[in-house]
Amino acid sequence: MLNLDCWSRIGIIKLMDEVERVESPAEGGINGIQGTSFSSSNVTDTITTGMDERIELPCDNLDDVEHSDKDGGFRTPTKKASVPKVGMLFDDVESVQEFYMNYAHDIGFSVRIGQQKLDDNGVVQWKRFLCTRQGYRKQQTTAPVDPTKKNKKAQNTRETRCGCEAYMYFKRNSEGKYKIGALHEDHNHELVTPSKQHLLRSKRFVSEKAKTTLFNCHKASIGTSQAYILLHVGAGGFEYVGCTKKDLQNYYSDFRNKIKDADAQMFIDQFGRLKEVDPGFFFEYEVNDGRLVRVFWADTTSRKNYSHFGDVVSFDSTYSTNQYDMKFAPFTGVNHHMQSVFFGAAFIADEKIESYVWLFQTFLRAIGEKHPKLIITDEDASMRAAIASVLPSTMHRLCMWHIMKKFPEKIGPHLLQDEEFWKRVNLCVWGSETTEEFESRWLALLSDYNLGNNDWLEGRYRIRESWIPAYFKDIWLGGILRTTSRSESANSFFNRFIGRKLALIEFWLRFDTALQCQRQEELIHDNTTLHTNPTLLTTWEIEKHGSYVFTHEVFEKFQEEVLAAREYCDIQSTTELEDRKIVTMTDNYRRIREVICFSTEQIYKCSCMLFESIGIPCRHIIRMFRGARLNEIPQHYITKRWMKNCKRNHAFDSDGNLLVEKATSSMAASMRRKMSSTQNKFEDIFRRAKTSEEGIDVLIQNLESLSLLFDPSTQTRQQEQENFIGCSIPNDVQVHPPNDTRAKGKCKRILGHADKNKRQKDSGSRKCTICKDVGHDRRNCPKKESGADTHES
């Protein structure tokens, strides 16, 4: 309970005043103390052993300690430290333990708690503290270790006991105090030198700061090793962290072991908690024999984003969590800043048709049965069948990025470094504007590089209409296939939190943090777009109008077209018809473009079809705007999803309920602001206090006074872990993790054909079974006989 009287008496203001006073030393001394000097030679330690005895002993430099050997043993160093003596009295057991631990640390050995006796009320009657190297371990009658087998755990076991007899015994007297009754100071082993004292086991512990840093780092997808380095840098040295990296790893491993059996249940319970605080949060799951096999979720913000930008959806199931080998399948799109935006995600245990059917049906329920116009996926027969069944009105196309990533492995090693070849490939795939152009370039490419017998390329040609842009230029793409950078960006985003051996609940913590970062980026771009103006590069009024209506990212694309219209577009001819006008013009690509003008409606259609696929007027249409003396972009050519205010309309679910975003944290925003302000204030006080040792002493003294205002922490380790994950660890588990639990396996994305070169590089070169050479296999061997069977994988 907080002591308000004490609070008013001490106060934070007093603490800051004390620190400021220390920061400004008086002339000739510090804090007005004249002639006072401090050195390690005249500092004394005062040991309070109880009400009966106080001992003051000088503390010399530990580096000057010399160890005396008596009868082959190692006795207490000759340094005059706070040494225990028979007959010393203490108020309680904790005081005895703290005193002996500090003594052991100063001397250079670690302490282990030995035997003790308790009375009927659980009060300690006597207790013994031992040197950790006391006694010997029991010899286990196990079979000898086979040196030919890799049993690292058995081979790396080190013996720590050597029969040391050092100990301290104390007992409770009739007055309820504790008296040292027996003491043996001699050790039969070397004592730890001062530079290694921080490694003594009995003095190591994971501090509150270390726990907070560890948990925060894991939420940010930073591993334990990097968290320990951060602690080391912040503390100013490993010796000041208070624990070793292994201690930190063991602490986190204990957390993972604690949640192992309840992982799936906690994952579902977390969604249930989010549903309670945010009614717009949507999730569904399925279990088979008590084990989780499918789960989908989408929060309110994701569902609102889909209502604004759900015309084009990208679905990628080529990710895998490591621990259960469940496929992570996110739905993403493109927002008004041309950034990736999250719509929802799922975990599925397999890639069967029924799994994808369930997933797409659940996705539709979450988004109010509003089918997307276009869905982009990777190649998968089960997924294709499910889309045809559940989304029959949605156009399905394949992700070019996934197909192009497979090219290097499929074409053979002799072309990997051929720059001219890759230039022609990109020109054929990306630069072909008509189907005739693509087909002529493709056939010429196969002929010039003897790739006519490549089965994989033949298969890609058969499905060319589903991935080559020239075949669907008139289809609305929303910018999702413009370049490969978006796919690479999305992969980088998701790999931040799936590229580790994670449990489901660990995944969620990292995913939630990453999603908040993505939305913060959108908020930053919204703020920039609404409160800054882009630089105009022409005097055309239509450019200025574009800067008013489009977001900055879209305006940059529009501005490029305006500049090209001014610099490169020249009208070659005009043909007048009854209800339309056909204008031909050239541009910087040296192509003849045709623009059909419907004069009565001010509608223009260009043969380049940029507006039809991207939603931004092309340079040729802008040139027609200029000729028609239009100072503003016609409303028909202002695509709503690219406007600054495109998200101002309300969004509703399938039942007509308004989707309203609500905070999902149990902690109020006002409390978070106070916590942040308090931390910042303390950091400022600490920065000023650390300029002198006296300042730190004043800070410590006042912090000890402040600590009396609050009850000491009584949290168990499990409670600390539950605070980290935001929910309790259940005892009654109804939903269990999937069967295929693995401790090792693949990380990040599911390795595809394009990744085989990396795997071979790591595990050794793999030889072709035909020519015995390295760098390829029998499917693409240059010495393979014509007509030999090859199989597409």
Side-chain angles (χ1 to χ4, degrees):
M1 182 66 66
L2 183 63
N3 187 335
L4 295 178
D5 293 337
C6 190
W7 177 267
S8 60
R9 190 160 38 86
I10 300 176
I12 291 292
I13 301 300
K14 177 182 176 182
L15 174 59
M16 297 182 65
D17 291 342
E18 289 285 350
V19 173
E20 289 175 353
R21 188 164 60 87
V22 172
E23 266 192 316
S24 305
E27 183 179 355
I30 298 178
N31 295 342
I33 302 176
Q34 301 291 330
T36 304
S37 61
F38 296 87
S39 68
S40 60
S41 60
N42 62 5
V43 176
T44 60
D45 278 352
T46 301
I47 297 101
T48 303
T49 60
M51 300 296 294
D52 302 326
E53 183 176 2
R54 292 173 60 88
I55 302 175
E56 292 189 356
L57 297 170
C59 278
D60 301 323
N61 193 334
L62 282 177
D63 294 333
D64 299 329
V65 171
E66 295 182 358
H67 298 269
S68 60
D69 191 356
K70 177 182 179 182
D71 299 329
F74 293 84
R75 188 173 173 76
T76 302
T78 55
K79 163 187 176 291
K80 295 181 180 179
S82 306
V83 297
K85 296 180 180 179
V86 174
M88 293 175 66
L89 292 176
F90 298 86
D91 292 331
D92 48 47
V93 175
E94 290 74 18
S95 300
V96 186
Q97 181 169 333
E98 181 182 0
F99 170 73
Y100 194 64
M101 290 284 189
N102 291 334
Y103 158 75
H105 179 261
D106 291 341
I107 299 306
F109 69 96
S110 192
V111 177
R112 187 173 86 249
I113 296 176
Q115 305 94 329
Q116 66 177 3
K117 181 181 179 181
L118 308 178
D119 63 12
D120 296 337
N121 296 321
V123 178
V124 175
Q125 297 302 301
W126 58 264
K127 196 169 188 176
R128 189 187 300 265
F129 289 123
L130 311 171
C131 173
T132 53
R133 307 197 66 179
Q134 179 268 347
Y136 297 94
R137 295 190 184 277
K138 294 181 179 179
Q139 295 293 331
Q140 297 182 356
T141 58
T142 57
V145 177
D146 186 352
T148 62
K149 296 182 179 180
K150 294 182 179 180
N151 190 345
K152 293 184 178 181
K153 185 175 181 180
Q155 294 177 5
N156 292 337
T157 301
R158 296 177 176 88
E159 181 57 61
T160 58
R161 306 288 183 87
C162 63
C164 181
E165 297 181 355
Y167 73 95
M168 186 184 77
Y169 165 84
F170 64 95
K171 61 181 179 179
R172 190 168 185 261
N173 62 17
S174 58
E175 298 177 357
K177 297 186 180 297
Y178 292 90
K179 179 179 180 181
I180 297 179
L183 179 70
H184 188 86
E185 299 182 66
D186 295 335
H187 298 263
N188 67 347
H189 55 87
E190 291 190 23
L191 301 178
V192 173
T193 59
S195 63
K196 304 181 187 67
Q197 285 180 347
H198 66 283
L199 301 176
L200 290 171
R201 179 172 239 173
S202 59
K203 290 293 291 186
R204 299 197 319 255
F205 68 99
V206 180
S207 65
E208 291 301 320
K209 179 181 179 180
K211 295 172 187 176
T212 302
T213 302
L214 174 66
F215 289 146
N216 287 341
C217 282
H218 275 278
K219 287 182 179 179
S221 300
I222 301 172
T224 305
S225 296
Q226 294 300 314
Y228 186 74
I229 293 175
L230 184 63
L231 286 169
H232 152 63
V233 173
F238 289 113
E239 61 270 30
Y240 307 116
V241 175
C243 62
T244 63
K245 182 173 72 173
K246 189 63 177 177
D247 294 333
L248 210 61
Q249 290 171 337
N250 289 341
Y251 182 86
Y252 195 75
S253 294
D254 178 71
F255 160 69
R256 297 197 68 188
N257 290 332
K258 181 74 72 174
I259 67 173
K260 180 172 58 177
D261 297 328
D263 183 29
Q265 182 71 61
M266 294 168 62
F267 191 54
I268 299 302
D269 289 348
Q270 184 79 310
F271 288 163
R273 186 190 68 82
L274 293 172
K275 179 71 174 178
E276 290 178 0
V277 296
D278 179 13
F281 187 92
F282 179 94
F283 77 100
E284 286 189 11
Y285 67 96
E286 283 192 355
V287 295
N288 186 7
D289 294 332
R291 297 193 176 275
L292 183 67
V293 292
R294 300 167 191 144
V295 58
F296 171 86
W297 72 92
D299 64 356
T300 303
T301 304
S302 300
R303 299 171 73 186
K304 290 182 65 176
N305 283 335
Y306 182 86
S307 69
H308 300 302
F309 311 114
D311 47 359
V312 179
V313 173
S314 174
F315 176 70
D316 191 351
S317 64
T318 60
Y319 300 93
S320 173
T321 59
N322 186 75
Q323 191 164 0
Y324 308 117
D325 200 24
M326 294 184 80
K327 304 299 179 291
F328 173 63
F331 293 86
T332 58
V334 179
N335 67 6
H336 53 316
H337 299 293
M338 291 190 166
Q339 300 169 313
S340 294
V341 61
F342 177 77
F343 294 148
F347 280 119
I348 52 178
D350 56 63
E351 295 182 279
K352 297 178 181 178
I353 295 178
E354 53 266 30
S355 293
Y356 284 123
V357 167
W358 176 89
L359 176 54
F360 292 133
Q361 289 175 343
T362 306
F363 176 65
L364 286 178
R365 285 194 294 273
I367 60 177
E369 301 295 336
K370 180 183 176 182
H371 291 223
K373 296 179 180 178
L374 175 71
I375 186 168
I376 308 294
T377 71
D378 60 294
E379 296 180 79
D380 185 274
S382 299
M383 189 188 303
R384 183 167 59 249
I387 291 174
S389 173
V390 182
L391 303 169
S393 62
T394 299
M395 196 165 294
H396 181 205
R397 293 294 181 265
L398 301 180
C399 178
M400 293 184 65
W401 186 79
H402 284 96
I403 294 176
M404 294 299 290
K405 285 281 286 183
K406 296 178 182 179
F407 252 87
E409 189 270 337
K410 293 298 183 180
I411 49 88
H414 59 292
L415 295 176
L416 291 177
Q417 306 301 324
D418 192 329
E419 294 183 2
E420 180 63 25
F421 170 78
W422 291 109
K423 183 178 179 181
R424 290 184 61 179
V425 168
N426 289 323
L427 180 64
C428 176
V429 172
W430 295 103
S432 299
E433 291 196 4
T434 65
T435 58
E436 293 79 11
E437 264 188 3
F438 167 76
E439 292 180 6
S440 63
R441 288 173 176 173
W442 182 272
L443 295 176
L445 192 68
L446 298 184
S447 175
D448 294 346
Y449 291 94
N450 298 318
L451 296 172
N453 293 327
N454 189 300
D455 290 350
W456 186 81
L457 291 177
E458 182 182 345
R460 304 292 76 70
Y461 182 74
R462 286 197 300 268
I463 60 172
R464 60 192 179 278
E465 295 182 1
S466 64
W467 68 282
I468 296 297
Y471 286 88
F472 43 90
K473 289 183 61 179
D474 58 337
I475 296 176
W476 170 251
L477 302 175
I480 204 165
L481 288 184
R482 191 64 175 170
T483 64
T484 61
S485 60
R486 187 176 320 285
S487 296
E488 292 172 349
S489 175
N491 280 279
S492 174
F493 170 76
F494 289 120
N495 280 333
R496 296 174 193 171
F497 48 84
I498 65 172
R500 292 176 171 83
K501 295 175 283 189
L502 301 177
L504 291 170
I505 198 67
E506 291 179 286
F507 161 86
W508 172 256
L509 295 172
R510 289 158 176 76
F511 171 80
D512 187 50
T513 302
L515 190 59
Q516 291 178 34
C517 291
Q518 185 189 76
R519 290 170 179 171
Q520 175 68 11
E521 286 298 313
E522 180 180 333
L523 197 65
I524 291 172
H525 281 76
D526 280 341
N527 182 69
T528 303
T529 289
L530 293 174
H531 301 293
T532 63
N533 298 317
T535 302
L536 302 180
L537 302 179
T538 72
T539 58
W540 292 12
E541 289 296 321
I542 206 165
E543 181 193 12
K544 182 184 292 186
H545 183 239
S547 70
Y548 293 156
V549 297
F550 294 134
T551 62
H552 286 355
E553 293 74 22
V554 177
F555 174 73
E556 288 180 5
K557 305 291 183 184
F558 176 73
Q559 191 177 54
E560 290 177 8
E561 299 301 317
V562 171
L563 290 173
R566 186 187 69 173
E567 301 294 335
Y568 304 114
C569 292
D570 296 321
I571 296 177
Q572 301 297 310
S573 64
T574 302
T575 303
E576 295 282 353
L577 299 177
E578 182 178 351
D579 61 340
R580 69 191 67 184
K581 180 173 62 175
I582 301 176
V583 178
T584 61
M585 66 177 69
T586 58
D587 58 17
N588 50 315
Y589 294 112
R590 299 179 181 178
R591 292 178 180 269
I592 301 296
R593 306 292 186 182
E594 282 190 355
V595 181
I596 302 175
C597 312
F598 300 90
S599 55
T600 57
E601 302 174 358
Q602 282 191 340
I603 294 178
Y604 305 85
K605 288 191 175 181
C606 181
S607 59
C608 74
M609 295 186 179
L610 179 70
F611 178 74
E612 284 75 11
S613 63
I614 308 300
I616 300 174
C618 66
R619 60 198 63 185
H620 317 103
I621 292 179
I622 294 174
R623 180 68 178 82
M624 299 304 297
F625 291 162
R626 180 69 174 175
R629 300 183 182 278
L630 297 178
N631 293 329
E632 293 186 357
I633 305 169
Q635 193 64 34
H636 175 74
Y637 293 96
I638 299 177
T639 306
K640 183 180 179 181
R641 66 161 12 255
W642 299 139
M643 296 177 65
K644 294 181 179 180
N645 60 356
C646 68
K647 297 181 69 175
R648 290 186 178 178
N649 294 341
H650 294 304
F652 300 88
D653 61 14
S654 57
D655 297 326
N657 299 316
L658 180 66
L659 293 175
V660 180
E661 300 172 47
K662 294 185 178 181
T664 57
S665 174
S666 58
M667 187 177 296
S670 59
M671 181 62 176
R672 290 188 176 276
R673 283 193 292 270
K674 290 178 182 179
M675 290 172 59
S676 177
S677 176
T678 303
Q679 286 183 323
N680 292 335
K681 185 173 292 185
F682 178 78
E683 287 295 333
D684 179 60
I685 295 173
F686 180 72
R687 176 187 58 81
R688 287 183 278 168
K690 71 179 182 180
T691 57
S692 68
E693 186 173 350
E694 288 70 32
I696 290 294
D697 290 338
V698 170
L699 181 60
I700 292 173
Q701 181 181 359
N702 282 274
L703 286 176
E704 289 177 349
S705 299
L706 287 174
S707 66
L708 299 176
L709 305 177
F710 308 96
D711 293 332
S713 175
T714 57
Q715 274 193 340
T716 64
R717 178 170 292 193
Q718 179 168 326
Q719 289 173 329
E720 294 172 351
Q721 296 163 351
E722 290 174 343
N723 287 338
F724 166 51
I725 58 182
C727 64
S728 60
I729 301 176
N731 295 321
D732 182 21
V733 178
Q734 302 294 328
V735 181
H736 297 272
N739 288 317
D740 298 330
T741 303
R742 301 185 302 170
K744 296 181 180 179
K746 49 186 179 289
C747 294
K748 293 190 178 179
R749 297 177 54 79
I750 299 176
L751 295 179
H753 302 294
D755 303 297
K756 284 189 176 179
N757 290 335
K758 298 178 183 179
R759 287 185 288 183
Q760 291 173 0
K761 188 174 182 180
D762 295 336
S763 59
S765 299
R766 179 181 177 182
K767 293 183 179 180
C768 173
T769 57
I770 296 178
C771 67
K772 307 303 180 184
D773 204 351
V774 297
H776 63 272
D777 57 30
R778 67 185 304 274
R779 294 173 296 178
N780 47 29
C781 178
K783 297 182 180 181
K784 184 177 66 172
E785 297 179 1
S786 62
D789 290 337
T790 58
H791 301 278
E792 179 183 338
S793 60

